[in-house]
Amino acid sequence: MSRASLESLRDYLTGTLSPSSMIWLSTQLAEYAKQQEKSPLKRYTMDEINAMLDEAEREIAAGEGIPDEEVWDELEREEQQELEMAEAV
């Protein structure tokens, strides 16, 4: 992300978040950054990516795994529960 984009994001957030929300978010971002430094994302070769896709296609053909629609439904239920919990506080 460019510096200008980051500054725009910062300006938006500082204009919309409460001080306590900004502190919470900054803590979360700092913790996430520290974790990423400890175990950065692995870079894959195209051969590795193709092998993972082949394996996923094999699993789908065998009827293994969870259907896409089911995953999205579960995520939506979890988000709704989180919203309801946050509103209850």
Side-chain angles (χ1 to χ4, degrees):
M1 189 176 264
S2 72
R3 184 178 180 98
S5 295
L6 288 170
E7 289 173 351
S8 293
L9 178 58
R10 179 205 59 209
D11 294 344
Y12 170 76
L13 292 172
T14 57
T16 57
L17 296 176
S18 68
S20 62
S21 293
M22 284 187 270
I23 291 169
W24 177 87
L25 180 59
S26 66
T27 302
Q28 294 291 308
L29 289 170
E31 289 174 9
Y32 182 81
K34 287 177 188 174
Q35 183 62 33
Q36 292 302 305
E37 285 178 342
K38 291 178 185 175
S39 57
L41 295 176
K42 180 183 186 240
R43 296 196 179 265
Y44 293 98
T45 66
M46 284 306 298
D47 288 338
E48 291 171 319
I49 293 170
N50 285 328
M52 287 187 282
L53 289 171
D54 290 343
E55 176 65 15
E57 289 170 349
R58 186 202 60 74
E59 290 173 356
I60 290 168
E64 300 172 5
I66 303 170
D68 177 64
E69 187 173 305
E70 198 173 309
V71 171
W72 287 111
D73 289 345
E74 178 64 23
L75 284 173
E76 288 178 17
R77 279 192 297 277
E78 288 175 7
E79 287 176 356
Q80 185 61 36
Q81 288 174 347
E82 289 176 8
L83 286 172
E84 290 170 359
M85 288 173 46
E87 290 173 355
V89 173

